Amino acid sequence: MSEPESRPNKVRPSRRLLRAGVIVVLTAAALGGLVWAASVQRPRTDPFATEPSVLSARWFLEPMERNRFLRLPAVVSDLYSVTFAADGKRGWAVGADGTIVATTDGGNTWQAQASGTKAELWSVTFAADGKRGWAVGGDLINAGTIIATADGGNTWQPLTSGAKAKLMSVTFAVDGKRGWAVGDQGTIVATADGGNTWKPQAGGTKDSLRSVSFAVDGKRGWAVGEDGIILATTDGGTTWQPQTND
């Protein structure tokens, strides 16, 4: 007698559907896990950092960013001046239309602060404590603008400078009390009480002054401006003398 022919095993349709369903579920779960992992990843601390190698742990732990610049502060106004506290973490930048932005992490992230003015802010400086700060500026409408803060920029208050021209630069002695601001038309104003009151000083020039700096002693100072002018003082600004600039 001849042996019966062997028949190939056939997978039932129901079993095929079951296998396909398992594959779909596992694939969906894997994709869902990847989406969840991506959603809980924190942005990179440094938006300028280079992409990590695929062989490093950073490649798995950090998100891939194609438009990292979008995380930078969306400041549309020009910025003219920047200063940092002694700790190198807290910093402030000022600019057009009363713009002030501040950072507390060394510049990785910046937040806008309300200056309370629409005047151009040309210069900013802070005391070493990072709490007391001053910004100066002005334009055709708001001449001699000075604003100050005592809480790191959370709130800014206007000060009366008495200046009739825009102010371009400001500096303070280490005591945070004596300060000087210079600007257009040879303007120099000074304070001895942390900015509460300002008095004009005679620089002996009508040239616009763009920057001012003082030594630690608060007595020796220099101001520079248009046409190469350099002024110097050795008595805290009571008298200013032109310097030779050959």
Side-chain angles (χ1 to χ4, degrees), residues 142-165:
N142 305 286
T145 297
I146 300 181
I147 59 175
T149 180
D151 56 13
N154 292 323
T155 58
W156 290 85
Q157 303 297 329
L159 302 176
T160 301
S161 69
K164 304 301 182 184

Side-chain angles (χ1 to χ4, degrees), residues 34-131:
L34 292 174
V35 171
W36 175 84
S39 67
V40 298
Q41 279 183 319
R42 299 182 63 183
R44 292 181 183 174
T45 302
D46 183 4
F48 296 106
T50 57
E51 292 287 345
S53 168
V54 295
L55 301 178
S56 67
R58 284 180 54 206
W59 192 87
F60 296 94
L61 299 176
E62 295 184 358
M64 297 178 63
E65 295 184 271
R66 299 304 182 191
N67 297 295
R68 289 172 286 178
F69 66 91
L70 294 177
R71 292 204 285 116
L72 300 177
V75 179
V76 296
S77 299
D78 293 337
L79 297 175
Y80 304 135
S81 178
V82 63
T83 190
F84 269 76
D87 60 16
K89 295 181 178 180
R90 293 167 294 168
W92 301 263
V94 300
D97 300 319
T99 297
I100 301 179
V101 291
T103 178
T104 57
D105 57 10
N108 291 319
T109 59
W110 295 80
Q111 301 294 329
Q113 293 185 337
S115 67
T117 181
K118 285 296 183 181
E120 306 284 285
L121 296 176
W122 295 100
S123 180
V124 61
T125 188
F126 265 76
D129 60 17
K131 294 181 179 180

